[in-house]
Amino acid sequence: MKVLHVCSEMYPLIKTGGLADVMGALPFAQNEIGMDARVLIPGYPAILEGIPETVIVNAFNTSAGFVTLRFGYYNGLGVYIIDAPHLYYRHGNPYHDSNYQDYGDNYKRFALLAWIGAELSTGLDNWWRAEIVHAHDWHAGLTAAYLYQKGYPAKAVFTIHNLAYQGQFSYHHLFEIGLSTELFHVNGLELYGQISYLKAGLYYSHAVTAVSPTYAKEITTEMFGYGLEGLLQTRAYEGRLVGILNGVDDGIWNPEVDNYIQDHYKLKSMAGKKKNKAKLQAEFHLPQDPDRLVFVMVTRLTEQKGVDLLLESVGEIIQQNGQLIILGSGAPHLEAWLQYLAEQHPQHIGVRIGYDEALSHLLIAGGDVILVPSRFEPCGLTQLYGLKYGTLPLVRSTGGLADTVVNSTAENIKARQATGFVFEHASPEALSGAIKEAFALWHKQRLWFSVRTVAMEQDFSWRISAENYQRLYERLSFI
């Protein structure tokens, strides 16, 4: 089965979030189980530098200008690269400039990505044609609309990684991107008077997936649907909306072989975790005390991630002589609030504004609890990394967090099912209660080790996800 993933990021070459991690793992896992998966991605500087040896597949004029389509291999994975310097050769973030202003031609940049994704099912590459075109998030959302306009030469699959970002652009751009005005209505591209690239993916794809079963249900409600809940309810009723959990790349996130940490460890040999904890405390100039409960957080600093809830609950950690270490960047007021707290409580709080891949691995390897108190979370990956590293997740019960973490109640611990700490309501009081539960379990080290063992035994491998997608693709072949 020939599968083309159409996407805007791929780890480790270009990453702004979890989408990149998925694209850096899922196609490889699919190939390992016998599929023929490839990736299509814009030719950002990091992509062209990371895959320097390519061949030209095609060259042509488009409504977005002259384009060269290249093909090369990255760690054995076939990758198509859209070489269009006037659109993609911009260093830094792929979506906005250094002032966080979205590029004014994003409508054109990502329409071209989608158009070529559809064309690769019709003959742009004379040697390979996609049978399944699998588009990811709003950046690739128009792919299914182009396939529809061509009479569906391939089956269209669309994955929602975050419904909150919908890719909305002015109606008049239709005339530039080669889509018929007949598609611009409520049963099509139109959303609140604009073109919605994400809605195009939802409406015109044969199947829509969300990155966890719970998130697939949540987005059919008004609270999480962002105005698209009606369409998503219809897709769910038709059996065309499913939730498939993301996985963990065992070659990257694995305490036994992690290239970013020096002190490796595994379930029955945990001495390395203590060493990582001491190094983590030293890195943030905190007292190197193995008996202190260390909470870590690697995240975008936004209200969605529940950072404000944590800041209002941090007194519980300080009062119980714990430590909190945060790595991330985002909203300026949250960055300033965190830095102020770190200055006021240098024995308890360490903060690093920005992102550092190596440091993120040390946080997860050295921490005792990883905090993911999100208001909503389509899947979440850091809680999965926490499970893998024996850093117990403390999460709100939403999306993929609800699907992957089991609360450490007495009953769940006794049944060997508990893997972390879960709270229900997005409030500082509920989060503080979960933090108290973490401290209570920490003071019972035998039970803590029992829960940590169950957590590290969990299997969220990408092979499971790849097999679930394969079953979905096979069902589509009968439509």
Side-chain angles (χ1 to χ4, degrees):
M1 185 177 296
K2 296 176 181 177
V3 180
L4 178 70
H5 290 278
V6 184
C7 60
S8 60
E9 302 180 29
M10 187 174 77
Y11 177 87
L13 299 178
I14 183 93
K15 174 180 176 177
T16 70
L19 169 62
D21 290 319
V22 175
M23 289 297 92
L26 176 58
F28 292 93
Q30 290 179 321
N31 286 341
E32 287 177 0
I33 63 171
M35 302 174 71
D36 184 358
R38 298 185 180 186
V39 167
L40 171 68
I41 195 165
Y44 312 120
I47 296 295
L48 293 170
E49 292 163 11
I51 311 176
E53 296 184 12
T54 61
V55 296
I56 294 177
V57 173
N58 214 318
F60 41 89
N61 283 303
T62 73
S63 59
F66 184 77
V67 173
T68 301
L69 182 64
R70 298 182 175 275
F71 180 78
Y73 287 94
Y74 183 75
N75 291 340
L77 174 70
V79 180
Y80 292 97
I81 302 169
I82 308 172
D83 189 359
H86 60 290
L87 294 177
Y88 303 127
Y89 204 83
R90 302 167 191 178
H91 290 276
N93 190 285
Y95 315 121
H96 58 69
D97 62 24
S98 58
N99 295 317
Y100 295 93
Q101 296 297 311
D102 287 349
Y103 290 122
D105 59 353
N106 273 352
Y107 72 92
K108 185 186 301 184
R109 300 168 77 227
F110 296 111
L112 178 64
L113 171 67
W115 182 81
I116 291 181
E119 287 293 315
L120 277 167
S121 68
T122 65
L124 266 187
D125 184 344
N126 292 324
W127 303 102
W128 191 89
R129 295 188 184 191
E131 299 168 294
I132 301 286
V133 181
H134 189 156
H136 297 264
D137 256 359
W138 75 260
H139 323 97
L142 289 184
T143 307
Y146 287 117
L147 286 168
Y148 166 80
Q149 201 163 251
K150 293 175 183 296
Y152 289 120
K155 300 298 184 182
V157 176
F158 181 70
T159 292
I160 307 162
H161 295 263
N162 193 334
L163 193 69
Y165 300 95
Q166 300 185 352
Q168 291 184 245
F169 299 97
S170 174
Y171 162 79
H172 73 265
H173 291 311
L174 269 181
F175 302 97
E176 297 178 67
I177 61 178
L179 285 172
S180 170
T181 55
E182 294 180 2
L183 275 60
F184 188 77
H185 49 75
V186 67
N187 293 319
L189 303 172
E190 188 270 336
L191 184 65
Y192 303 123
Q194 293 186 297
I195 308 166
S196 170
Y197 285 32
L198 183 135
K199 185 185 177 187
L202 303 181
Y203 189 84
Y204 290 106
S205 294
H206 296 97
V208 176
T209 75
V211 289
S212 71
T214 295
Y215 189 58
K217 295 175 183 176
E218 288 177 340
I219 58 179
T220 64
T221 68
E222 185 176 353
M223 180 177 292
F224 294 98
Y226 291 93
L228 292 165
E229 59 273 10
L231 174 56
L232 289 162
Q233 288 167 13
T234 300
R235 290 290 171 266
Y237 176 78
E238 295 168 339
R240 292 167 58 186
L241 171 62
V242 298
I244 297 177
L245 267 174
N246 287 337
V248 175
D249 190 332
D250 200 53
I252 298 171
W253 292 98
N254 183 341
E256 291 188 57
V257 298
D258 191 326
N259 290 327
Y260 290 105
I261 60 174
Q262 292 181 335
D263 301 296
H264 297 123
Y265 60 94
K266 57 184 178 180
L267 187 54
K268 295 185 178 180
S269 180
M270 297 292 290
K273 186 162 183 65
K274 291 183 179 180
K275 294 178 181 178
N276 283 300
K277 181 173 181 175
K279 287 182 177 179
L280 179 60
Q281 291 170 322
E283 175 70 24
F284 284 84
H285 308 291
L286 297 173
Q288 294 179 52
D289 183 350
D291 295 327
R292 292 205 191 188
L293 182 57
V294 175
F295 295 81
V296 297
M297 192 176 193
V298 181
T299 188
R300 293 195 314 275
L301 301 178
T302 65
E303 276 80 5
Q304 181 225 317
K305 297 295 185 179
V307 177
D308 57 319
L309 303 180
L310 175 61
L311 290 172
E312 294 184 48
S313 309
V314 72
E316 189 65 42
I317 296 174
I318 296 169
Q319 182 180 341
Q320 298 213 40
N321 204 30
Q323 295 175 340
L324 171 64
I325 300 173
I326 295 181
L327 171 65
S329 63
H333 71 285
L334 294 176
E335 292 182 357
W337 193 353
L338 276 170
Q339 289 175 314
Y340 172 77
L341 286 172
E343 292 169 0
Q344 296 298 307
H345 305 281
Q347 300 293 301
H348 297 93
I349 300 176
V351 174
R352 188 73 53 85
I353 300 299
Y355 186 72
D356 182 318
E357 185 72 21
L359 188 56
S360 72
H361 284 247
L362 182 60
L363 261 76
I364 294 172
D368 298 306
V369 176
I370 185 162
L371 294 160
V372 196
S374 303
R375 284 183 166 80
F376 70 92
E377 194 65 63
C379 177
L381 290 170
T382 54
Q383 87 278 9
L384 300 181
Y385 303 154
L387 292 168
K388 188 83 175 176
Y389 284 67
T391 304
L392 301 187
L394 190 158
V395 307
R396 195 174 92 74
S397 182
T398 184
L401 305 177
D403 292 325
T404 54
V405 182
V406 179
N407 197 23
S408 294
T409 63
E411 294 79 9
N412 287 338
I413 293 173
K414 185 177 181 180
R416 287 187 53 78
Q417 296 176 337
T419 58
F421 310 94
V422 182
F423 66 100
E424 293 290 331
H425 302 292
S427 69
E429 295 76 18
L431 176 52
S432 292
I435 291 171
K436 288 179 182 177
E437 291 172 4
F439 275 106
L441 189 65
W442 180 253
H443 294 312
K444 301 174 182 176
Q445 282 288 289
R446 183 180 62 81
L447 291 181
W448 183 278
F449 294 150
S450 174
V451 173
R452 189 174 69 182
T453 297
V454 175
M456 295 180 73
E457 289 174 343
Q458 301 304 299
D459 183 5
F460 291 104
S461 70
W462 272 111
R463 184 182 183 89
I464 296 173
S465 303
E467 290 171 346
N468 286 330
Y469 278 113
Q470 184 176 37
R471 284 190 283 271
L472 173 65
Y473 299 156
E474 288 171 347
R475 288 204 304 272
L476 295 183
S477 65
F478 295 104
I479 294 178

